[in-house]
Amino acid sequence: MKINGSAIRAGNVIEVDGRVWRVIKHNIVSPGKGGAFNQIEIRDVKSGTKSNMKFRSDETVEQLRVEEKDMQYLFADGDQYTFMDQENYEQITVNRELIGDGADFLADGMMASMQFIEGQGVVGVELPLTAVGTVVEADAVVKGQTAASSYKPAKLDNGARVMVPPFIATGEKIVVNIAERTYVERAKD
């Protein structure tokens, strides 16, 4: 299916020059002179190499049909992550590069959406929007610091580092936006 260059979004799987790419990020740029264009960051599905491309709205690109299936995360072995199909209990192992930095937030039993293309296998892994983590290390609050204007660094139990408001202390559970690696709120017990 052909789509306009301005319609390309993160998560799309496209074919350009005979290669299959997964769109990681996109940004519509409107320069002061000339027409707007879509600046995209893409990853080659087979080799894992990253690249950047620009598409104007009058250009078209082939968007590939992707089948999505929800699968449960089981375990990691080095850079290999294993997921299980809930219907037939088939297990699939993917490389960390395919998951991206969100792999830090994978927890036992977490559901993820696997994207497949016939003949290509798994081309993408979409994690939930948020995950819960426990703060294991947080800087002390500086007196006079206001919650609205400043954040402090904190380390979570999974090793990820995020910026949190000053009132968050060691031992607290927080909700984190996985894609942006940002604090959302305190976790409800």
Side-chain angles (χ1 to χ4, degrees), residues 22-141:
R22 184 165 193 275
V23 179
I24 301 168
K25 295 179 187 173
H26 81 282
N27 183 29
I28 304 289
V29 179
S30 299
K33 255 183 170 171
F37 59 89
N38 194 358
Q39 173 78 37
I40 63 170
E41 183 179 325
I42 52 179
R43 176 179 284 131
D44 187 314
V45 170
K46 285 186 180 171
S47 68
T49 58
K50 285 185 180 179
S51 183
N52 289 307
M53 291 187 176
K54 294 178 185 177
F55 291 96
R56 294 189 315 271
S57 61
D58 61 344
E59 294 177 297
T60 59
V61 68
E62 186 71 26
Q63 181 179 9
L64 301 176
R65 295 180 62 81
V66 176
E67 177 189 337
E68 292 198 14
K69 190 175 238 183
D70 287 337
M71 299 186 84
Q72 182 181 24
Y73 170 69
L74 296 179
F75 63 90
D77 184 14
D79 280 350
Q80 301 297 314
Y81 291 76
T82 303
F83 294 83
M84 180 178 65
D85 186 331
Q86 294 292 289
E87 295 171 14
N88 60 14
Y89 305 108
E90 178 183 334
Q91 292 183 8
I92 293 176
T93 301
V94 298
N95 195 307
R96 180 184 174 92
E97 286 181 1
L98 196 60
I99 302 169
D101 290 337
D104 292 341
F105 293 95
L106 281 170
D108 291 343
M110 181 183 277
M111 297 301 289
S113 178
M114 307 286 274
Q115 299 171 336
F116 296 88
I117 292 181
E118 196 170 321
Q120 299 281 337
V122 179
V123 295
V125 179
E126 291 288 324
L127 299 179
L129 293 174
T130 60
V132 175
T134 304
V135 177
V136 293
E137 193 178 295
D139 290 353
V141 177

